[in-house]
Amino acid sequence: MSTRGAVSAAVAVLVLSGCGVGSAPGAPVVGVAGRPTTPPAVAKSLDLAAASDPCAAVPRSIPLGLGVYGDGQPHEGGGQRYCVWADKVDWPRITVAFSSADPLAEAYRDAERPDPGGDGLRWKLFEPTAVDGQPALVRAQRTDGSRLCEVVVGTGGGGGIVVSAGASGPSDTGGQCRTAVSAANEVVSSLRA
């Protein structure tokens, strides 16, 4: 088969799979890079309206474990309420956002976004997962999750939680995803209480 024929066949498969031909109802649509581009359904909704303060949803031990001793700073804007804990050089070490803009669906739509620097995909790490039973996604711009890692959690009704953990300088380690997942678990648990 010629290169042109192979490309045409690949495009036909993508077009057919995008239309749902030959796939089970509700099956995730898989994009060009082999990543799902639609999120799983949220089976159990969480009420984000009841959590008016994202700073209060994070146990104090998490920022302290990162060496962040100050209180979280609440912010609001763009359909989000969020809290930021920063270290001495004002790098956001941990951020928790409650969003009404369906961040999980947006994260899946963003699965195959090219890296602005031309180095493959923007999100080198892209792992669908679950956080305390809620559909979630772990993503980072580096495969080891260093510098910055995000966990996006679906809460139903178009809402979601985005937890980011970051580091800079000598503390730029690969543990950011562990921190973000741990914080996301704590936040979801506190919303269930």
Side-chain angles (χ1 to χ4, degrees):
M1 178 181 284
S2 70
T3 304
R4 186 175 188 174
V7 169
S8 296
V11 169
V13 167
L14 286 173
V15 168
L16 291 175
S17 67
C19 294
V21 174
S23 62
V29 176
V30 177
V32 177
R35 291 180 172 180
T37 56
T38 56
V42 176
K44 185 174 181 179
S45 294
L46 295 175
D47 185 9
L48 292 181
S52 59
D53 181 5
C55 294
V58 176
R60 192 160 177 80
S61 61
I62 291 176
L64 285 173
L66 292 170
V68 179
Y69 299 100
D71 292 331
Q73 300 301 310
H75 300 276
E76 194 165 330
Q80 291 188 10
R81 291 170 296 165
Y82 58 101
C83 189
V84 177
W85 290 263
D87 65 12
K88 293 176 245 167
V89 294
D90 295 327
W91 179 270
R93 297 297 302 277
I94 187 168
T95 303
V96 174
F98 295 159
S99 175
S100 59
D102 206 349
L104 187 61
E106 181 60 33
Y108 273 86
R109 283 191 296 270
D110 200 29
E112 297 182 339
R113 182 195 294 189
D115 185 279
D119 184 21
L121 297 174
R122 177 179 184 202
W123 302 108
K124 310 281 189 284
L125 177 66
F126 187 91
E127 295 179 357
T129 189
V131 170
D132 197 12
Q134 298 300 121
L137 176 69
V138 178
R139 67 183 187 172
Q141 293 177 345
R142 295 181 179 181
T143 56
D144 65 358
S146 62
R147 283 194 66 84
L148 180 68
C149 186
E150 291 183 346
V151 178
V152 185
V153 182
T155 59
I161 303 164
V162 181
V163 177
S164 304
S168 61
S171 60
D172 183 5
T173 65
Q176 306 315 315
C177 289
R178 281 190 307 276
T179 299
V181 169
S182 174
N185 271 298
E186 294 286 349
V187 170
V188 171
S189 293
S190 74
L191 289 173
R192 288 197 198 287

